[in-house]
Protein backbone atom coordinates (compact mmCIF):
# COMPACT_ATOMS: atom_id res chain seq x y z
CA UNK A 1 0.00 0.00 0.00
CA UNK A 2 1.23 3.47 -0.76
CA UNK A 3 0.20 7.03 -1.53
CA UNK A 4 -0.91 7.47 -5.15
CA UNK A 5 1.50 8.98 -7.69
CA UNK A 6 0.85 10.85 -10.90
CA UNK A 7 1.37 7.74 -13.05
CA UNK A 8 -1.32 5.92 -11.04
CA UNK A 9 -4.17 8.08 -12.29
CA UNK A 10 -5.20 5.88 -15.21
CA UNK A 11 -4.80 2.51 -13.42
CA UNK A 12 -6.82 3.91 -10.48
CA UNK A 13 -9.52 4.88 -12.95
CA UNK A 14 -9.50 1.32 -14.29
CA UNK A 15 -10.01 -0.18 -10.81
CA UNK A 16 -12.73 2.39 -10.10
CA UNK A 17 -14.52 1.37 -13.29
CA UNK A 18 -14.25 -2.31 -12.34
CA UNK A 19 -15.85 -1.39 -9.02
CA UNK A 20 -18.65 0.93 -10.07
CA UNK A 21 -19.38 1.12 -13.80
CA UNK A 22 -21.76 -0.88 -15.95
CA UNK A 23 -19.56 -0.12 -18.96
CA UNK A 24 -16.07 1.26 -18.57
CA UNK A 25 -15.78 4.89 -19.57
CA UNK A 26 -12.59 6.36 -20.97
CA UNK A 27 -10.11 7.95 -18.59
CA UNK A 28 -10.66 11.70 -18.38
CA UNK A 29 -7.56 13.53 -17.19
CA UNK A 30 -9.39 16.78 -16.42
CA UNK A 31 -12.07 15.02 -14.36
CA UNK A 32 -9.44 13.06 -12.47
CA UNK A 33 -7.51 16.20 -11.61
CA UNK A 34 -10.76 17.68 -10.25
CA UNK A 35 -10.95 14.76 -7.82
CA UNK A 36 -9.20 14.14 -4.51
CA UNK A 37 -5.56 15.38 -4.53
CA UNK A 38 -3.10 12.51 -5.04
CA UNK A 39 -1.51 12.84 -1.61
CA UNK A 40 -4.91 11.95 -0.11
CA UNK A 41 -5.36 8.80 -2.22
CA UNK A 42 -4.07 5.35 -1.30
CA UNK A 43 -3.46 2.44 -3.64
CA UNK A 44 -2.88 -1.26 -3.01
CA UNK A 45 -0.51 -2.90 -5.45
CA UNK A 46 0.52 -6.42 -6.42
CA UNK A 47 3.72 -6.76 -8.42
CA UNK A 48 3.46 -3.11 -9.46
CA UNK A 49 -0.17 -3.43 -10.61
CA UNK A 50 -2.83 -1.37 -8.85
CA UNK A 51 -5.51 -3.67 -7.41
CA UNK A 52 -7.26 -1.42 -4.88
CA UNK A 53 -7.84 2.26 -4.19
CA UNK A 54 -9.33 4.64 -1.63
CA UNK A 55 -9.55 8.44 -1.36
CA UNK A 56 -10.15 10.82 1.54
CA UNK A 57 -11.46 14.35 0.91
CA UNK A 58 -10.43 17.08 3.33
CA UNK A 59 -13.80 18.16 4.71
CA UNK A 60 -15.64 19.18 7.85
CA UNK A 61 -19.13 18.75 9.21
CA UNK A 62 -21.16 21.17 11.30
CA UNK A 63 -22.50 19.91 14.60
CA UNK A 64 -23.83 22.18 17.35
CA UNK A 65 -22.70 25.22 15.34
CA UNK A 66 -19.05 24.11 15.30
CA UNK A 67 -17.00 22.71 12.45
CA UNK A 68 -15.67 19.22 13.10
CA UNK A 69 -12.66 18.25 10.91
CA UNK A 70 -13.78 15.26 8.85
CA UNK A 71 -12.14 12.87 6.39
CA UNK A 72 -14.63 12.07 3.62
CA UNK A 73 -13.90 8.55 2.38
CA UNK A 74 -14.83 7.72 -1.21
CA UNK A 75 -13.90 5.77 -4.31
CA UNK A 76 -13.17 2.55 -2.40
CA UNK A 77 -12.75 -0.21 -4.97
CA UNK A 78 -10.85 -3.48 -5.28
CA UNK A 79 -10.20 -5.42 -8.49
CA UNK A 80 -12.67 -8.37 -8.45
CA UNK A 81 -9.77 -10.81 -8.78
CA UNK A 82 -8.40 -9.57 -5.45
CA UNK A 83 -11.57 -9.34 -3.39
CA UNK A 84 -12.21 -11.15 -0.12
CA UNK A 85 -8.53 -11.05 0.89
CA UNK A 86 -8.65 -8.00 3.12
CA UNK A 87 -7.40 -5.43 0.57
CA UNK A 88 -10.18 -2.91 1.31
CA UNK A 89 -9.79 -3.52 5.03
CA UNK A 90 -6.07 -2.80 4.86
CA UNK A 91 -6.68 0.43 2.90
CA UNK A 92 -9.29 1.51 5.46
CA UNK A 93 -6.93 0.86 8.39
CA UNK A 94 -4.16 2.87 6.76
CA UNK A 95 -6.54 5.72 5.92
CA UNK A 96 -7.79 5.84 9.51
CA UNK A 97 -4.24 6.14 10.84
CA UNK A 98 -3.59 9.01 8.41
CA UNK A 99 -6.82 10.81 9.30
CA UNK A 100 -5.88 10.57 12.96
CA UNK A 101 -2.44 12.06 12.28
CA UNK A 102 -4.00 14.92 10.31
CA UNK A 103 -6.49 15.71 13.08
CA UNK A 104 -9.53 14.59 11.10
CA UNK A 105 -11.35 13.43 14.21
CA UNK A 106 -14.44 12.23 12.34
CA UNK A 107 -14.89 10.25 9.13
CA UNK A 108 -18.02 10.13 6.97
CA UNK A 109 -18.87 8.33 3.73
CA UNK A 110 -21.75 7.42 1.44
CA UNK A 111 -21.84 3.61 1.63
CA UNK A 112 -22.56 1.29 -1.24
CA UNK A 113 -21.63 -1.58 1.00
CA UNK A 114 -22.78 -1.15 4.61
CA UNK A 115 -21.27 -4.45 5.81
CA UNK A 116 -17.70 -3.53 5.00
CA UNK A 117 -17.87 -0.15 6.72
CA UNK A 118 -19.94 -1.31 9.67
CA UNK A 119 -17.32 -3.93 10.33
CA UNK A 120 -14.77 -1.15 10.52
CA UNK A 121 -16.70 1.10 12.89
CA UNK A 122 -18.84 3.33 10.64
CA UNK A 123 -22.57 3.45 11.34
CA UNK A 124 -25.54 5.17 9.72
CA UNK A 125 -25.47 8.71 11.08
CA UNK A 126 -27.48 11.02 8.83
CA UNK A 127 -29.69 11.49 5.82
CA UNK A 128 -29.32 12.65 2.23
CA UNK A 129 -32.92 13.77 1.67
CA UNK A 130 -33.55 13.31 -2.05
CA UNK A 131 -36.85 14.66 -3.31
CA UNK A 132 -38.68 14.91 -6.61
CA UNK A 133 -40.19 18.29 -7.27
CA UNK A 134 -42.90 19.05 -9.81
CA UNK A 135 -41.65 22.24 -11.49
CA UNK A 136 -45.17 23.42 -12.29
CA UNK A 137 -45.61 24.16 -8.57
CA UNK A 138 -42.83 26.73 -8.75
CA UNK A 139 -44.57 28.78 -11.42
CA UNK A 140 -47.15 29.90 -8.85
CA UNK A 141 -44.69 31.09 -6.21
CA UNK A 142 -44.94 34.70 -5.00
CA UNK A 143 -42.39 37.27 -6.10
CA UNK A 144 -39.68 38.08 -3.57
CA UNK A 145 -40.42 41.14 -1.42
CA UNK A 146 -37.02 42.72 -2.17
CA UNK A 147 -35.69 42.92 -5.71
CA UNK A 148 -33.10 40.17 -6.16
CA UNK A 149 -31.39 39.63 -9.49
CA UNK A 150 -29.83 36.52 -10.99
CA UNK A 151 -26.88 35.97 -13.25
CA UNK A 152 -24.68 33.09 -14.36
CA UNK A 153 -21.91 32.02 -11.97
CA UNK A 154 -18.39 33.17 -12.79
CA UNK A 155 -15.07 31.75 -11.62
CA UNK A 156 -14.40 34.92 -9.58
CA UNK A 157 -17.50 34.17 -7.44
CA UNK A 158 -15.86 31.18 -5.78
CA UNK A 159 -14.63 32.85 -2.54
CA UNK A 160 -18.04 34.50 -2.00
CA UNK A 161 -19.80 31.22 -2.80
CA UNK A 162 -17.72 29.39 -0.23
CA UNK A 163 -18.74 31.99 2.38
CA UNK A 164 -22.38 31.68 1.29
CA UNK A 165 -22.29 27.89 1.53
CA UNK A 166 -20.74 28.16 4.98
CA UNK A 167 -23.29 30.70 6.18
CA UNK A 168 -26.26 28.51 5.29
CA UNK A 169 -24.61 25.25 6.38
CA UNK A 170 -23.21 26.04 9.80
CA UNK A 171 -26.56 25.82 11.61
CA UNK A 172 -27.61 22.66 9.78
CA UNK A 173 -26.39 19.60 11.69
CA UNK A 174 -24.33 17.30 9.49
CA UNK A 175 -23.93 19.78 6.61
CA UNK A 176 -20.57 19.83 4.95
CA UNK A 177 -17.80 22.36 5.31
CA UNK A 178 -15.98 22.37 1.99
CA UNK A 179 -12.26 21.98 2.33
CA UNK A 180 -10.16 24.05 -0.10
CA UNK A 181 -9.98 21.36 -2.78
CA UNK A 182 -13.58 20.28 -2.55
CA UNK A 183 -14.89 23.84 -2.86
CA UNK A 184 -12.80 24.73 -5.87
CA UNK A 185 -13.42 21.49 -7.69
CA UNK A 186 -16.89 20.50 -6.64
CA UNK A 187 -18.85 23.61 -5.72
CA UNK A 188 -18.85 24.66 -9.34
CA UNK A 189 -19.09 21.05 -10.38
CA UNK A 190 -15.50 20.79 -11.56
CA UNK A 191 -16.69 21.56 -15.06
CA UNK A 192 -18.95 24.59 -14.82
CA UNK A 193 -19.42 24.76 -18.59
CA UNK A 194 -21.51 21.57 -18.50
CA UNK A 195 -23.90 23.06 -16.04
CA UNK A 196 -26.39 25.78 -15.49
CA UNK A 197 -25.11 27.56 -12.40
CA UNK A 198 -26.70 30.85 -11.28
CA UNK A 199 -26.26 33.23 -8.36
CA UNK A 200 -28.82 35.51 -6.75
CA UNK A 201 -27.56 39.02 -5.98
CA UNK A 202 -28.88 41.84 -3.83
CA UNK A 203 -27.25 45.13 -2.86
CA UNK A 204 -24.04 44.05 -4.58
CA UNK A 205 -23.65 40.83 -2.55
CA UNK A 206 -24.35 37.15 -3.30
CA UNK A 207 -27.40 35.83 -1.46
CA UNK A 208 -28.00 32.52 -3.24
CA UNK A 209 -26.69 29.86 -5.59
CA UNK A 210 -28.35 27.20 -7.68
CA UNK A 211 -26.49 24.60 -9.75
CA UNK A 212 -28.55 22.52 -12.11
CA UNK A 213 -27.70 19.56 -14.30
CA UNK A 214 -29.84 18.39 -17.19
CA UNK A 215 -30.73 14.75 -17.71
CA UNK A 216 -32.86 12.60 -19.99
CA UNK A 217 -36.60 12.96 -19.40
CA UNK A 218 -38.43 9.79 -18.44
CA UNK A 219 -42.06 8.97 -19.36
CA UNK A 220 -42.36 11.70 -22.00
CA UNK A 221 -42.48 14.28 -19.23
CA UNK A 222 -40.77 17.30 -20.77
CA UNK A 223 -37.66 17.38 -22.95
CA UNK A 224 -35.27 16.91 -20.03
CA UNK A 225 -35.20 16.64 -16.23
CA UNK A 226 -33.25 18.80 -13.82
CA UNK A 227 -31.02 17.61 -11.03
CA UNK A 228 -30.42 20.43 -8.62
CA UNK A 229 -26.84 19.98 -7.41
CA UNK A 230 -26.90 22.95 -5.04
CA UNK A 231 -29.63 25.23 -3.81
CA UNK A 232 -28.44 27.61 -1.13
CA UNK A 233 -30.15 30.83 -0.17
CA UNK A 234 -29.58 33.13 2.80
CA UNK A 235 -33.24 34.12 3.17
CA UNK A 236 -36.71 33.58 1.76
CA UNK A 237 -36.38 36.29 -0.91
CA UNK A 238 -33.20 34.70 -2.25
CA UNK A 239 -34.84 31.27 -2.16
CA UNK A 240 -37.95 32.51 -3.98
CA UNK A 241 -35.76 34.15 -6.63
CA UNK A 242 -33.93 30.91 -7.33
CA UNK A 243 -37.04 28.74 -7.18
CA UNK A 244 -38.76 31.04 -9.68
CA UNK A 245 -35.73 30.71 -11.94
CA UNK A 246 -36.16 26.92 -11.74
CA UNK A 247 -39.91 27.24 -12.30
CA UNK A 248 -39.21 29.07 -15.56
CA UNK A 249 -37.81 25.81 -16.97
CA UNK A 250 -41.39 24.46 -16.93
CA UNK A 251 -42.85 22.92 -19.09
CA UNK A 252 -39.71 22.07 -21.10
CA UNK A 253 -38.60 20.32 -17.92
CA UNK A 254 -41.38 19.04 -15.68
CA UNK A 255 -39.52 17.29 -12.89
CA UNK A 256 -36.48 18.17 -10.81
CA UNK A 257 -34.59 16.21 -8.23
CA UNK A 258 -33.21 18.06 -5.28
CA UNK A 259 -31.80 17.55 -1.81
CA UNK A 260 -33.83 19.32 0.85
CA UNK A 261 -35.02 18.28 4.28
CA UNK A 262 -38.75 18.39 5.02
CA UNK A 263 -38.21 21.25 7.41
CA UNK A 264 -37.20 23.62 4.60
CA UNK A 265 -39.25 26.58 3.40
CA UNK A 266 -39.92 24.86 0.08
CA UNK A 267 -42.22 22.26 1.62
CA UNK A 268 -44.28 25.11 3.10
CA UNK A 269 -44.56 26.86 -0.27
CA UNK A 270 -45.79 24.06 -2.52
CA UNK A 271 -48.77 21.76 -2.43
CA UNK A 272 -49.44 18.13 -1.67
CA UNK A 273 -47.31 15.68 -3.65
CA UNK A 274 -45.43 18.45 -5.49
CA UNK A 275 -42.46 17.50 -3.35
CA UNK A 276 -41.99 13.78 -2.70
CA UNK A 277 -39.20 11.66 -1.25
CA UNK A 278 -37.39 9.94 -4.10
CA UNK A 279 -34.07 8.59 -5.26
CA UNK A 280 -31.66 5.97 -4.09
CA UNK A 281 -32.39 6.33 -0.40
CA UNK A 282 -28.80 7.24 0.37
CA UNK A 283 -27.81 7.77 3.94
CA UNK A 284 -24.32 8.54 5.20
CA UNK A 285 -22.26 6.63 7.74
CA UNK A 286 -19.82 8.12 10.21
CA UNK A 287 -17.24 6.93 12.69
CA UNK A 288 -15.24 8.78 15.29
CA UNK A 289 -11.57 8.56 14.23
CA UNK A 290 -10.28 10.09 17.45
CA UNK A 291 -13.16 9.74 19.92
CA UNK A 292 -11.97 12.29 22.55
CA UNK A 293 -11.01 14.73 19.78
CA UNK A 294 -14.39 14.39 18.06
CA UNK A 295 -16.34 14.79 21.30
CA UNK A 296 -14.39 17.97 22.10
CA UNK A 297 -14.79 19.40 18.58
CA UNK A 298 -18.57 19.72 18.27
CA UNK A 299 -20.88 22.18 20.01
CA UNK A 300 -23.56 21.27 22.57
CA UNK A 301 -26.63 22.88 24.02
CA UNK A 302 -25.61 25.28 26.83
CA UNK A 303 -28.27 23.92 29.18
CA UNK A 304 -27.02 20.31 29.12
CA UNK A 305 -25.07 19.10 32.16
CA UNK A 306 -24.52 15.32 32.13
CA UNK A 307 -21.93 12.64 32.87
CA UNK A 308 -21.98 9.09 31.48
CA UNK A 309 -19.45 6.29 32.07
CA UNK A 310 -18.84 4.53 28.75
CA UNK A 311 -17.10 1.27 27.79
CA UNK A 312 -16.19 1.95 24.19
CA UNK A 313 -15.20 -0.80 21.72
CA UNK A 314 -13.32 -0.17 18.49
CA UNK A 315 -11.54 -3.14 16.85
CA UNK A 316 -10.23 -1.23 13.82
CA UNK A 317 -8.98 1.87 15.70
CA UNK A 318 -8.03 0.34 19.07
CA UNK A 319 -6.81 3.68 20.44
CA UNK A 320 -10.50 4.53 21.03
CA UNK A 321 -11.28 1.37 23.01
CA UNK A 322 -11.75 1.20 26.75
CA UNK A 323 -13.53 2.92 29.62
CA UNK A 324 -14.17 6.64 29.11
CA UNK A 325 -16.14 9.29 30.96
CA UNK A 326 -18.29 11.58 28.81
CA UNK A 327 -18.98 14.97 30.42
CA UNK A 328 -21.08 17.68 28.78
CA UNK A 329 -21.40 21.10 30.40
CA UNK A 330 -21.64 24.78 29.34
CA UNK A 331 -21.85 23.92 25.65
CA UNK A 332 -18.66 21.84 25.68
CA UNK A 333 -17.78 18.19 26.22
CA UNK A 334 -14.87 15.95 27.11
CA UNK A 335 -14.27 12.23 26.77
CA UNK A 336 -11.56 11.13 29.16
CA UNK A 337 -10.10 7.65 29.64
CA UNK A 338 -11.11 6.00 32.91
CA UNK A 339 -14.28 5.81 34.93
CA UNK A 340 -16.58 2.90 35.64
CA UNK A 341 -17.22 1.74 32.05
CA UNK A 342 -20.92 1.10 32.63
CA UNK A 343 -22.51 1.75 29.23
CA UNK A 344 -21.07 -0.56 26.56
CA UNK A 345 -21.24 0.54 22.92
CA UNK A 346 -19.25 0.37 19.69
CA UNK A 347 -17.58 3.40 18.14
CA UNK A 348 -20.15 3.31 15.31
CA UNK A 349 -23.05 3.53 17.75
CA UNK A 350 -21.33 6.44 19.45
CA UNK A 351 -20.98 8.13 16.04
CA UNK A 352 -24.70 7.64 15.40
CA UNK A 353 -25.52 9.26 18.73
CA UNK A 354 -22.91 11.97 18.22
CA UNK A 355 -24.47 13.30 15.02
CA UNK A 356 -27.93 13.31 16.61
CA UNK A 357 -29.20 10.58 14.27
CA UNK A 358 -29.78 7.68 16.66
CA UNK A 359 -31.99 7.63 19.69
CA UNK A 360 -30.15 5.98 22.64
CA UNK A 361 -33.30 4.37 23.97
CA UNK A 362 -33.89 2.59 20.66
CA UNK A 363 -30.26 1.49 20.44
CA UNK A 364 -30.58 0.06 23.94
CA UNK A 365 -33.84 -1.72 23.11
CA UNK A 366 -32.23 -3.52 20.16
CA UNK A 367 -29.13 -4.39 22.17
CA UNK A 368 -26.66 -2.05 20.42
CA UNK A 369 -26.09 -0.17 23.68
CA UNK A 370 -25.79 -2.37 26.78
CA UNK A 371 -25.71 -1.76 30.51
CA UNK A 372 -27.32 1.69 30.43
CA UNK A 373 -29.70 2.77 33.19
CA UNK A 374 -32.68 4.94 32.42
CA UNK A 375 -30.68 7.94 33.65
CA UNK A 376 -27.77 7.09 31.31
CA UNK A 377 -30.11 6.91 28.32
CA UNK A 378 -31.70 10.24 29.21
CA UNK A 379 -28.25 11.78 29.64
CA UNK A 380 -27.05 10.51 26.24
CA UNK A 381 -30.24 11.74 24.63
CA UNK A 382 -29.84 15.22 26.10
CA UNK A 383 -26.14 15.39 25.23
CA UNK A 384 -26.59 14.92 21.48
CA UNK A 385 -30.25 15.78 20.77
CA UNK A 386 -30.94 18.15 17.89
CA UNK A 387 -32.59 18.39 14.48
CA UNK A 388 -32.08 15.43 12.15
CA UNK A 389 -28.58 15.55 10.65
CA UNK A 390 -28.49 15.77 6.86
CA UNK A 391 -26.13 16.64 4.05
CA UNK A 392 -26.73 18.63 0.89
CA UNK A 393 -23.50 17.57 -0.84
CA UNK A 394 -22.56 14.16 -2.15
CA UNK A 395 -19.02 12.89 -2.44
C1 LIG B 1 -16.54 -3.58 -1.36
C2 LIG B 1 -15.10 -3.90 -1.79
C3 LIG B 1 -14.29 -2.61 -1.81
C4 LIG B 1 -14.54 -4.87 -0.74
O1 LIG B 1 -13.16 -5.12 -1.03
P1 LIG B 1 -12.41 -6.41 -0.40
O2 LIG B 1 -10.96 -6.16 -0.52
O3 LIG B 1 -12.98 -7.62 -0.99
O4 LIG B 1 -12.87 -6.32 1.12
P2 LIG B 1 -12.24 -7.12 2.36
O5 LIG B 1 -11.66 -8.40 1.88
O6 LIG B 1 -11.35 -6.22 3.13
O7 LIG B 1 -13.57 -7.40 3.19
C5 LIG B 1 -13.72 -7.12 4.54
C6 LIG B 1 -15.12 -7.46 5.00
O8 LIG B 1 -16.07 -6.62 4.38
C7 LIG B 1 -17.26 -7.35 4.10
N1 LIG B 1 -17.49 -7.33 2.66
C8 LIG B 1 -16.58 -7.13 1.69
N2 LIG B 1 -17.16 -7.12 0.49
C9 LIG B 1 -18.46 -7.33 0.69
C10 LIG B 1 -19.60 -7.40 -0.16
N3 LIG B 1 -19.49 -7.23 -1.49
N4 LIG B 1 -20.81 -7.59 0.40
C11 LIG B 1 -20.94 -7.73 1.74
N5 LIG B 1 -19.88 -7.67 2.58
C12 LIG B 1 -18.67 -7.46 2.08
C13 LIG B 1 -17.07 -8.73 4.64
O9 LIG B 1 -17.61 -8.73 5.94
C14 LIG B 1 -15.58 -8.88 4.66
O10 LIG B 1 -15.14 -9.70 5.67
P3 LIG B 1 -14.98 -11.30 5.43
O11 LIG B 1 -14.20 -11.46 4.15
O12 LIG B 1 -14.24 -11.74 6.64
O13 LIG B 1 -16.36 -11.80 5.34
C15 LIG B 1 -15.06 -4.59 -3.17
O14 LIG B 1 -15.95 -5.67 -3.17
C16 LIG B 1 -15.46 -3.67 -4.31
O15 LIG B 1 -14.60 -3.05 -4.92
N6 LIG B 1 -16.77 -3.59 -4.63
C17 LIG B 1 -17.30 -2.70 -5.66
C18 LIG B 1 -17.24 -1.25 -5.27
C19 LIG B 1 -17.84 -0.98 -3.90
O16 LIG B 1 -18.91 -1.46 -3.56
N7 LIG B 1 -17.13 -0.17 -3.09
C20 LIG B 1 -17.47 0.14 -1.74
C21 LIG B 1 -18.58 1.05 -1.63
S1 LIG B 1 -18.22 2.77 -1.61
Amino acid sequence: MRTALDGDREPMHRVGQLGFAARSSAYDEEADRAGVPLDRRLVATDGGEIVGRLSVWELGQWFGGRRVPMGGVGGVAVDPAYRGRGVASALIRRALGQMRERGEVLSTLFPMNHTLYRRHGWEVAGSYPEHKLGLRALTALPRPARPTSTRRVEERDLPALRDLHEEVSRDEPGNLWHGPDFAARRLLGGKPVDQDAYVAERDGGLVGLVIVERGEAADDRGFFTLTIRQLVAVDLDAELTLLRLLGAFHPVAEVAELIAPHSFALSMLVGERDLRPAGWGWCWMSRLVDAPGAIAARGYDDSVDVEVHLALTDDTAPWNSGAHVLRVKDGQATLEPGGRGEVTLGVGQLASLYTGWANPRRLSRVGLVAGATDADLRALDRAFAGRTPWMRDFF
Side-chain angles (χ1 to χ4, degrees), residues 98-112:
Q98 293 184 338
M99 285 187 251
R100 185 186 184 207
E101 279 167 21
R102 291 192 296 251
E104 285 151 13
V105 293
L106 183 72
S107 176
T108 292
L109 51 83
F110 284 93
M112 198 68 201

Side-chain angles (χ1 to χ4, degrees), residues 15-16 18-20 53 73-80 82-92 109-117 119-120 282:
V15 175
L18 284 172
F20 296 110
R53 47 165 283 178
V73 174
V76 183
V78 172
D79 183 325
Y82 288 83
R83 289 182 188 167
R85 304 189 204 172
V87 174
S89 298
L91 288 167
I92 286 170
L109 51 83
F110 284 93
M112 198 68 201
N113 183 331
H114 289 62
T115 317
L116 171 70
Y117 298 119
R119 192 186 172 110
H120 290 296
W282 284 105

Side-chain angles (χ1 to χ4, degrees), residues 7-31:
D8 297 332
R9 289 183 184 276
E10 203 158 346
M12 280 191 289
H13 171 78
R14 187 189 64 83
V15 175
Q17 295 292 301
L18 284 172
F20 296 110
R23 275 171 292 280
S24 280
S25 65
Y27 169 66
D28 175 344
E29 172 96 27
E30 192 190 348

